[in-house]
Amino acid sequence: MRIGFGRVDITPPLGTKITGAWQLRTADGVMDPLELNSVVLESGEEKIVIVTADLLAMNLANATSIRNLISAETGIPTQNILMQCLHQHTATTGGSTDVSCAEYVAVLKRKYVDVVCLALNDLAEAKMSCAEKATSEEVSFIRRYRMKDGNVMTNPGTMNPEIDHPLGKSDNTVRLVRFTREDAKDIALVAFQTHPDTIGGTQFSADWPGFARRKFEKEMPEVHCILTNGCQGDTNHHKPGRPQIRKSEQAERYAFTRRMGEIIAQAALDVWEKTAPLKEGAISTAFEITSIRTNLDGIERIEECKALYEKILEKDEEVMKLPMSEKGAIRRIAKMENYVLFQKVPVSMVAFGELAVIGYGGEPFTEYADVLREAYPDLFILTACNCNGSQGYLPSAAAFAEGGYEACTTNFTVDTPALLQGLAKDLLAQHKAKV
């Protein structure tokens, strides 16, 4: 086995739209750089690629275009390429509608090729091992709550006395794959899962994933660190009972984010010398598209919701007071006339021996990772959100029944979790048969 690492800066020009909020934000500064990080793993004649991007999301068409470009330049099959957007809300998307100059879009595509080529040029003999550890304190929390009146709310406020209980259990486990290389820097693949939406404001930042990478490399200067963000659709950093930092206190929020990233990195550092060997073996790759029925609930309200959505964009005070779930439904319905009856969601896999990475083309709930690890406990499974295309929230079956923001916002229907989780299990079963 050989593995290589690559990294490039992809910080956009100022004036670029910062996405992931209910109001228009235009970048006027940089708190810390946005990056692409990549690893290429080679076994015999086969190679697999993982690229993680400090971007909010990327649609299926753009992701496919970039994977095709990487394949044309490197000869690596497109299904062997897994591209993840880490989902920072102080970044932009990988699409032309959100950037201030068309030149950046072309440069971004070239940088995806560059980061893979850098990893190819860095290939060195390696052995892989793994470990996992819970963070020293919880930093990821379920953000959906059953309220005392029976309703379901997302982010109801951590000090809200009407909260009854969270709907689910978050995962605060840090998973580490260590690649020990000969005559080259070792590589740490660190996996965690929660929403990177802790800072806000109008300046670029890689949020906690960036802090985690930098902390790890500061403590281990002879190691490259790449990070993946898992099934984070129903989690964030808001701890029940802890007062939330006001949005206006950006310096305090930035310091909080730094500490959060450092806690995640420290868990990986704690087990760096305690990893257990992972069995090497066959490479398996897959890129499967599932067609899922579009959520057409509320179709009769299209014109009403288009008008309301315009008021949301204008930050109309009365409309902005609406519950988060209602605003999410308004946004979904306002765009419904452009939808088709079925929408495509990619599920991807790159696997080598006992290591398997499953990527979902959206924001899956924590359950999507749990069911895979329960089904295949003898594989070291990492999951990744927003892979090879980003199609919005992928709730659990329970969430569709419960309601709340994600269920109101998603473009998909209740059969989504069974279809996607079933496909992921099938892909792992096919790989397991080869190991």
Side-chain angles (χ1 to χ4, degrees):
M1 182 185 87
R2 298 199 302 162
I3 190 165
F5 176 85
R7 172 177 291 158
V8 298
D9 188 305
I10 57 165
T11 308
L14 301 185
T16 298
K17 189 190 301 182
I18 295 181
T19 45
W22 285 105
Q23 67 273 356
L24 175 64
R25 294 181 294 162
T26 302
D28 57 13
V30 179
M31 289 180 281
D32 52 77
L34 309 184
E35 298 174 341
L36 293 178
N37 288 276
S38 72
V39 289
V40 173
L41 188 150
E42 177 187 78
S43 179
E45 298 299 316
E46 293 187 271
K47 295 181 179 70
I48 54 179
V49 177
I50 299 173
V51 182
T52 65
D54 292 332
L55 295 171
L56 181 85
M58 182 181 296
N59 65 35
L60 178 59
N62 285 340
T64 301
S65 172
I66 292 173
R67 288 167 60 242
N68 287 339
L69 184 60
I70 293 170
S71 180
E73 300 249 354
T74 65
I76 300 171
T78 55
Q79 74 173 25
N80 293 26
I81 301 169
L82 189 148
M83 291 170 32
Q84 178 184 35
C85 293
L86 293 171
H87 199 61
Q88 292 95 331
H89 287 239
T90 39
T92 187
T93 66
S96 58
T97 59
D98 293 327
V99 289
S100 57
C101 59
E103 292 85 352
Y104 174 75
V105 179
V107 169
L108 178 63
K109 290 183 177 181
R110 292 304 315 174
K111 287 196 172 187
Y112 266 96
V113 176
D114 289 350
V115 81
V116 175
C117 289
L118 288 172
L120 285 167
N121 293 339
D122 185 55
L123 288 171
E125 295 290 335
K127 296 290 184 183
M128 68 177 183
S129 54
C130 69
E132 57 183 51
K133 183 183 178 182
T135 52
S136 59
E137 61 181 88
E138 289 187 315
V139 293
S140 178
F141 305 91
I142 293 294
R143 67 181 198 171
R144 292 167 46 81
Y145 293 88
R146 178 74 67 187
M147 309 304 286
K148 290 178 181 177
D149 64 3
N151 289 323
V152 171
M153 288 188 69
T154 298
N155 294 334
T158 58
M159 306 298 287
N160 191 332
E162 297 305 311
I163 290 175
D164 190 73
H165 64 274
L167 293 171
K169 189 177 186 306
S170 60
D171 184 355
N172 277 274
T173 305
V174 175
R175 295 174 174 85
L176 167 71
V177 181
R178 175 177 177 173
F179 296 97
T180 305
R181 301 200 295 171
E182 297 181 8
D183 302 319
K185 282 188 175 185
D186 289 351
I187 298 171
L189 173 56
V190 177
F192 193 71
Q193 55 188 49
T194 200
H195 245 85
D197 185 15
T198 62
I199 302 171
T202 56
Q203 298 184 51
F204 290 123
S205 172
D207 208 288
W208 64 259
F211 279 118
R213 293 191 303 255
R214 292 190 291 273
K215 165 70 173 177
F216 196 100
E217 292 180 352
K218 179 181 178 181
E219 299 297 323
M220 303 285 290
E222 294 306 311
V223 178
H224 296 298
C225 181
I226 179 173
L227 185 139
T228 64
N229 189 9
C231 297
Q232 48 71 58
D234 57 345
T235 59
N236 63 17
H237 61 289
H238 293 310
K239 180 180 180 179
R242 179 176 64 196
Q244 293 178 212
I245 304 170
R246 290 179 300 173
K247 289 184 178 180
S248 60
E249 300 297 330
Q250 191 169 42
E252 189 176 346
R253 292 165 70 90
Y254 195 65
F256 172 87
T257 307
R258 180 194 304 274
R259 183 170 179 273
M260 183 176 170
E262 290 179 351
I263 288 171
I264 293 165
Q266 189 60 54
L269 289 163
D270 289 345
V271 294
W272 181 251
E273 299 295 347
K274 302 175 183 178
T275 55
L278 276 171
K279 179 182 176 183
E280 300 174 14
I283 280 180
S284 299
T285 62
F287 175 75
E288 300 286 345
I289 294 286
T290 300
S291 293
I292 301 176
R293 288 184 298 121
T294 298
N295 176 9
L296 297 178
D297 183 40
I299 192 171
E300 71 283 355
R301 298 179 58 202
I302 285 181
E303 294 305 319
E304 172 198 353
C305 289
K306 285 168 67 175
L308 288 171
Y309 188 51
E310 285 298 319
K311 291 185 177 181
I312 289 174
L313 295 177
E314 295 166 359
K315 293 197 288 187
D316 179 271
E317 289 187 10
E318 290 303 312
V319 178
M320 292 301 288
K321 290 178 184 177
L322 291 172
M324 189 174 175
S325 58
E326 177 63 15
K327 287 189 290 186
I330 288 169
R331 180 172 58 188
R332 174 181 59 81
I333 297 167
K335 298 180 179 182
M336 194 179 290
E337 64 184 5
N338 298 318
Y339 295 166
V340 292
L341 291 178
F342 287 83
Q343 301 198 35
K344 297 177 179 179
V345 182
V347 177
S348 307
M349 178 181 72
V350 292
F352 174 61
E354 292 180 330
L355 172 65
V357 183
I358 293 288
Y360 290 103
E363 296 183 64
F365 278 27
T366 305
E367 171 192 291
Y368 281 64
D370 293 342
V371 298
L372 300 184
R373 295 192 177 105
E374 290 170 5
Y376 295 98
D378 48 351
L379 292 176
F380 196 73
I381 298 172
L382 307 181
T383 56
C385 64
N386 294 320
C387 277
N388 293 339
S390 308
Q391 300 288 72
Y393 286 110
L394 305 174
S396 62
F400 278 102
E402 294 158 350
Y405 172 70
E406 298 85 358
C408 290
T409 302
T410 183
N411 289 334
F412 305 109
T413 45
V414 68
D415 45 356
T416 302
L419 288 169
L420 297 181
Q421 293 172 23
L423 175 55
K425 286 182 182 179
D426 290 344
L427 296 178
L428 289 170
Q430 294 167 25
H431 176 66
K432 185 71 168 54
K434 295 169 62 176
V435 174

